[in-house]
Amino acid sequence: MFLIGKLSQFAGVSTQTIRYYERIALLPAPRRSENGYRIYDDTDIDRLRFIKQARQLNFSLDDIAEILALRERNQAPCSVVMNKVAQQIEEINSRIAELIHLQNELKRLYQVGLTMPEDIEMKHCVCHLIKDGLPKEVDAHA
Amino acid sequence: MFLIGKLSQFAGVSTQTIRYYERIALLPAPRRSENGYRIYDDTDIDRLRFIKQARQLNFSLDDIAEILALRERNQAPCSVVMNKVAQQIEEINSRIAELIHLQNELKRLYQVGLTMPEDIEMKHCVCHLIKDGLPKEVDAHA
DNA sequence: ATTTGACCTTATAGTAACTATAATGTTTAG
DNA sequence: CTAAACATTATAGTTACTATAAGGTCAAAT
Ligand SMILES: [Zn+2]
Ligand SMILES: [Zn+2]
Ligand SMILES: [Zn+2]
Ligand SMILES: [Zn+2]
């Protein structure tokens, strides 16, 4: 039995975010005190902590809603969770690969850029490399 | 001298996105034909290709606007570009590190989850691991 | 008694970079 | 004549929040 500020402290989630979760029905509308303040109890802490942990594991709010909905219908979400976890491990591999690719391009751009003069015509400096793409092999700029 | 559809083809950017870029003033408002259609020329292709390349290098539209603005004032943006490139190379390192960390947690969660039963009380299955966080060492579940 | 401070409330808009939709107008070809 | 393939605008949706404004409630200190 406590107000939103306490729930925020207990769960480590801002009051703004708690209200947001309520708006999108990720959290149920809590009962209200006479003055209209939201009143929570321990089960709310549990639910919110679950959400927070799942967010830190990069589950989307949609994923989390699905998992919580299963729980509400007394269906064990374990296999759904395991599938999403496996899927995410794969996605992270792809994202890392993309980032490494991007980083390699940036590194190459940087190295080539170091060898080039500034020029306002944007013809022979790093800017022109952005426009035209990096050459396969750096041209001797002859 | 061509319409937005051609510009879209030449630059590889959708017409929607071209109009969007115009709205946020990343592209100048082009002149219009009698019927109100946008009319472009080769310099527009250049500018749009530059934007596209920079986007593929993960420059933000704000970054790109800044670079193009410098160019407009006849100031060479080379050093700005080089700084942003260097900065991004660093940021990608951080992001990769974060992703690897996240992936390790997911892998650990998955492995532990494999050893656990489904249960609707959410006490001893993978779901409870999400709520309470992964243990440092997997508990023997005694 | 009042005022200050720490709470709480709602509604609304902003973030990044698009993408999608609706409703409509123009031009060309069959 | 009409259907396709273009074009136009305005508006809303995406993700997960965060920020702001404008205000109501309550306890304590002055
Ligand atoms: Zn479970
Ligand atoms: Zn060159
Ligand atoms: Zn330059
Ligand atoms: Zn256990």
Side-chain angles (χ1 to χ4, degrees):
Chain A
M1 301 277 292
F2 36 79
L3 302 184
I4 198 170
K6 288 296 170 194
L7 178 61
S8 169
Q9 282 178 29
F10 293 148
V13 175
S14 78
T15 60
Q16 312 255 46
T17 299
I18 294 171
R19 292 196 195 96
Y20 169 67
Y21 286 167
E22 182 184 331
R23 254 205 328 282
I24 65 171
L26 190 57
L27 292 177
R31 63 197 186 82
R32 303 287 186 124
S33 66
E34 280 185 6
N35 54 25
Y37 290 8
R38 290 169 176 82
I39 298 176
Y40 297 99
D41 60 31
D42 289 345
T43 68
D44 296 302
I45 301 180
D46 278 358
R47 192 180 176 100
L48 194 47
R49 279 196 183 142
F50 179 90
I51 295 170
K52 193 193 179 188
Q53 276 291 332
R55 283 295 298 136
Q56 284 177 359
L57 291 170
N58 203 42
F59 283 81
S60 71
L61 294 184
D62 263 7
D63 286 343
I64 297 169
E66 186 186 340
I67 293 167
L68 290 174
L70 282 175
R71 188 152 66 143
E72 231 116 82
R73 286 183 267 125
N74 278 336
Q75 292 172 29
C78 319
S79 62
V80 172
V81 171
M82 289 292 278
N83 285 343
K84 288 193 192 299
V85 168
Q87 189 185 326
Q88 250 204 92
I89 290 171
E90 275 319 299
E91 281 174 15
I92 290 175
N93 278 335
S94 305
R95 271 199 284 157
I96 288 176
E98 281 168 22
L99 284 175
I100 287 174
H101 177 74
L102 173 61
Q103 198 184 42
N104 283 338
E105 299 217 357
L106 288 167
K107 281 177 177 168
R108 204 145 66 89
L109 179 61
Y110 193 83
Q111 287 308 314
V112 177
L114 286 177
T115 73
M116 296 178 125
E118 298 220 352
D119 70 354
I120 56 174
E121 292 99 28
M122 297 263 307
K123 282 185 185 145
H124 295 302
C125 67
V126 63
C127 316
H128 120 103
L129 291 177
I130 289 181
K131 193 178 105 200
D132 301 334
L134 278 167
K136 282 295 171 224
E137 203 103 357
V138 179
D139 70 347
H141 222 290
Chain B
M1 300 278 290
F2 36 79
L3 303 184
I4 197 169
K6 288 296 171 195
L7 178 60
S8 169
Q9 282 178 31
F10 294 148
V13 174
S14 77
T15 60
Q16 312 254 48
T17 299
I18 294 170
R19 292 196 195 96
Y20 168 67
Y21 285 168
E22 181 185 331
R23 253 205 328 283
I24 64 171
L26 189 56
L27 292 178
R31 62 197 186 83
R32 304 285 186 127
S33 66
E34 278 186 7
N35 55 23
Y37 289 8
R38 289 169 178 83
I39 298 176
Y40 298 97
D41 61 31
D42 290 346
T43 66
D44 296 302
I45 302 180
D46 279 357
R47 192 181 176 100
L48 195 48
R49 279 195 183 144
F50 179 89
I51 295 171
K52 192 193 179 189
Q53 275 290 334
R55 284 295 297 135
Q56 284 177 359
L57 291 171
N58 203 42
F59 283 81
S60 72
L61 295 184
D62 263 8
D63 286 343
I64 297 168
E66 185 186 339
I67 293 167
L68 290 175
L70 281 175
R71 189 154 62 145
E72 230 116 81
R73 284 182 270 124
N74 278 336
Q75 291 172 27
C78 319
S79 62
V80 171
V81 171
M82 288 293 277
N83 285 344
K84 288 192 192 299
V85 168
Q87 188 185 327
Q88 250 204 92
I89 291 171
E90 275 319 299
E91 281 173 16
I92 290 175
N93 279 334
S94 305
R95 271 199 283 157
I96 289 176
E98 280 167 24
L99 284 175
I100 288 174
H101 177 75
L102 173 61
Q103 197 184 44
N104 283 338
E105 299 217 358
L106 288 167
K107 281 176 177 170
R108 204 145 66 88
L109 179 61
Y110 192 83
Q111 287 308 314
V112 177
L114 286 177
T115 73
M116 295 177 124
E118 297 220 354
D119 69 353
I120 56 175
E121 291 102 27
M122 297 265 305
K123 283 186 186 146
H124 296 303
C125 67
V126 63
C127 317
H128 118 106
L129 291 177
I130 290 180
K131 193 179 106 202
D132 301 334
L134 279 166
K136 282 296 170 223
E137 202 103 355
V138 179
D139 70 347
H141 222 292

